[in-house]
Amino acid sequence: MTKPSTSLPVVALSTTLEKSLSSGHPWIYRDHLPKTAQIEHGAFVELRAGGARAFALYDAESAIALRVFSTRKVPDDEWLRERVELAFRLREPLRRGRTSAYRWIFGEGDQLPGITVDLYGEYAVIVSYASSLERLIAPVAKALTETTKLLGVVRRLPSQEGGARLELVSGRLPPARFVVEEHGARFYAELEKGQKTGLFLDQRENRRFIAAMASGLRVLNLFSYTGGFSVHAALAGASRVVSVDASAGALETAKDNFRLNGLDPDAHGFETADVFAYLQSAISRAERHDIVISDPPSFAKSRAQQADAIKAYKRLNADGLRTLKPEGIYAAGSCTSQVCPDDFRDTLAESARRAKCELQILGDFGQPLDHPVLAQHPEGRYLKFIVGRALKLR
Ligand code: SAH
């Protein structure tokens, strides 16, 4: 990175932001900017609010106008390396637990606003969330390679065809697919073709929680993708796991993942279907399972879609609960940040009412240690995963 200039533009903010700034909240929205502020896109500025001071990166395009990096100094190579090394050190428990794919940097939660880095074996994938962050990519990539041995650092960018493409930053590109470990289970990762950066790393601990209860049981995994929950449940001795996803390709990879772990896919079910339609037909066939997992994609990209998302959760989980045997286990996931944990739990109560059962909550989970949330930045929390036992009405 270029040497930080010694005379940064100073932006004076309202004193009402003093507390937020001094506590390290990483975002300042555009409507909090002084009308007269003239700042260059992608430039660092010094912020002042009352007695608080901080250093932030300006973005002319997004609703988040300023990303606050430090109260100490303008992030230089050394400051970035400290963040990268700290985040790596804090993931040691994962590496010890036979896990080779995890989120190395979770943006705001790891004190590096706007940037995530996922590690898959010896390949790191950088994703950045605003064009103003461009200048940080090269120094972050350098810090990654200085922290641990890597074969390649890539960025995942949207492609013109609507999918994603990988762009090489350093080292070499990863193979189209290769094997990583999650708590000792093996999975194919496809960093370019796959969804997210290849795998849904955030459900790791929830998969283990479900697997611990799955021995000898029939499991229905809705929105299975490449079989993350399915493989763990089958490895734990589930008698039959049915994986349902709209993507035929994801289910082919799910079968490959079964074989990769010495499991026979023919002993299990793989259904390419829309989950909502699948549930209707499962209910009419009286198909029943001991454990049902529902881990849908985000239902709301913006605040305007929040009400629809809440409706969709109520309906989805009511139908999911209807495919459960009495005293069966239901696991409801939500990655929609627009629906907060309390509201999501309320939707489940409504689903249980519609399905005429009482849901006895056994676990109410959030994000694992590689997706940390700062207390000062509750916006970083998006994942909900509630596990309950469906009891008959008293
Ligand atoms: N549980 C998965 C991640 C799920 S991601 C894991 O642990 O890895 C959401 C998945 O839902 C994607 O694979 C997507 O293909 C699928 N999907 C989205 N809408 C769907 C629908 N209406 N019916 C079935 N699958 C759907």
Side-chain angles (χ1 to χ4, degrees):
M1 198 172 9
T2 49
K3 263 183 94 171
S5 113
T6 43
S7 59
L8 286 183
V10 174
V11 178
L13 301 169
S14 154
T15 48
T16 55
L17 291 177
E18 180 172 10
K19 213 166 150 192
S20 155
L21 210 60
S22 60
S23 72
H25 192 285
W27 295 344
I28 308 248
Y29 284 101
R30 192 160 307 283
D31 47 4
H32 282 120
L33 272 189
K35 296 278 172 290
T36 52
Q38 291 225 327
I39 322 168
E40 195 189 323
H41 180 67
F44 277 106
V45 296
E46 184 181 329
L47 301 179
R48 290 190 193 150
R53 218 167 78 112
F55 298 91
L57 188 68
Y58 179 68
D59 192 286
E61 295 160 1
S62 57
I64 301 167
L66 290 158
R67 287 184 170 77
V68 180
F69 278 77
S70 173
T71 52
R72 243 181 341 114
K73 63 174 178 177
V74 171
D76 53 12
D77 289 8
E78 186 201 338
W79 187 93
L80 289 170
R81 193 159 50 239
E82 278 171 22
R83 305 276 85 65
V84 167
E85 280 176 4
L86 174 65
F88 189 75
R89 188 151 44 79
L90 299 182
R91 270 80 176 158
E92 180 57 28
L94 296 175
R95 291 187 287 275
R96 271 204 307 271
R98 294 179 67 199
T99 292
S100 65
Y102 53 85
R103 180 149 288 189
W104 177 347
I105 302 206
F106 183 52
E108 287 72 7
D110 283 303
Q111 305 177 308
L112 202 46
I115 294 179
T116 65
V117 178
D118 290 342
L119 185 70
Y120 288 89
E122 291 177 289
Y123 294 93
V125 189
I126 304 178
V127 177
S128 59
Y129 290 87
S131 64
S132 52
L133 296 156
E134 211 54 32
R135 63 189 294 175
L136 299 180
I137 301 297
V140 166
K142 185 162 163 271
L144 296 171
T145 53
E146 284 169 0
T147 300
T148 189
K149 184 175 157 280
L150 295 175
L151 293 176
V153 178
V154 296
R155 299 177 70 178
R156 204 175 129 115
L157 300 162
S159 73
Q160 295 194 325
E161 301 79 49
R165 64 184 175 91
L166 296 184
E167 184 184 276
L168 188 64
V169 181
S170 68
R172 60 173 192 251
L173 284 170
R177 80 175 193 174
F178 58 98
V179 176
V180 294
E181 271 195 315
E182 178 185 279
H183 286 314
R186 289 152 63 79
F187 290 95
Y188 287 109
E190 296 178 302
L191 308 195
E192 187 162 60
K193 213 182 103 207
Q195 300 186 32
K196 276 240 187 149
T197 55
L199 295 172
F200 289 82
L201 304 169
D202 52 3
Q203 290 285 25
R204 179 188 318 108
E205 308 310 321
N206 297 331
R207 293 184 188 115
R208 187 150 79 158
F209 186 84
I210 295 297
M213 299 185 290
S215 177
L217 300 183
R218 287 176 57 100
V219 178
L220 175 63
N221 182 13
L222 304 171
F223 308 96
S224 67
Y225 188 49
T226 55
F229 282 98
S230 305
V231 164
H232 278 285
L235 279 176
S239 57
R240 184 177 159 83
V241 183
V242 178
S243 305
V244 183
D245 201 281
S247 161
L251 288 173
E252 280 312 308
T253 307
K255 288 181 199 168
D256 291 341
N257 284 331
F258 270 65
R259 290 184 202 102
L260 189 60
N261 289 279
L263 299 161
D264 178 8
D266 294 335
H268 300 274
F270 299 86
E271 303 286 339
T272 307
D274 168 65
V275 161
F276 292 87
Y278 180 89
L279 286 175
Q280 290 312 313
S281 80
I283 293 163
S284 61
R285 287 197 304 273
E287 176 185 311
R288 296 291 181 265
H289 302 268
D290 299 295
I291 299 182
V292 176
I293 305 142
S294 165
D295 180 27
S298 175
F299 283 161
K301 299 266 179 260
S302 68
R303 185 119 198 137
Q305 296 170 327
Q306 190 190 50
D308 283 345
I310 286 179
K311 268 190 215 152
Y313 283 126
K314 288 177 181 169
R315 182 159 81 98
L316 170 66
N317 292 318
D319 284 347
L321 283 163
R322 292 185 179 108
T323 65
L324 212 51
K325 289 183 192 166
E327 293 166 31
I329 302 271
Y330 194 77
S334 160
C335 61
T336 307
S337 53
Q338 300 291 339
V339 178
C340 72
D342 283 349
D343 287 351
F344 184 61
R345 202 175 318 100
D346 288 348
T347 68
L348 259 187
E350 171 59 14
S351 300
R353 190 190 66 78
R354 291 185 195 175
K356 299 189 170 50
C357 64
E358 283 186 296
L359 193 67
Q360 182 187 60
I361 294 180
L362 307 178
D364 189 341
F365 303 110
Q367 290 154 219
L369 77 78
D370 55 335
H371 294 66
V373 183
L374 295 179
Q376 290 93 332
H377 182 246
E379 298 92 328
R381 169 82 189 270
Y382 65 95
L383 189 67
K384 286 81 63 189
F385 192 77
I386 300 182
V387 184
R389 193 183 293 283
L391 302 180
K392 279 193 256 176
L393 292 179
R394 287 160 281 160

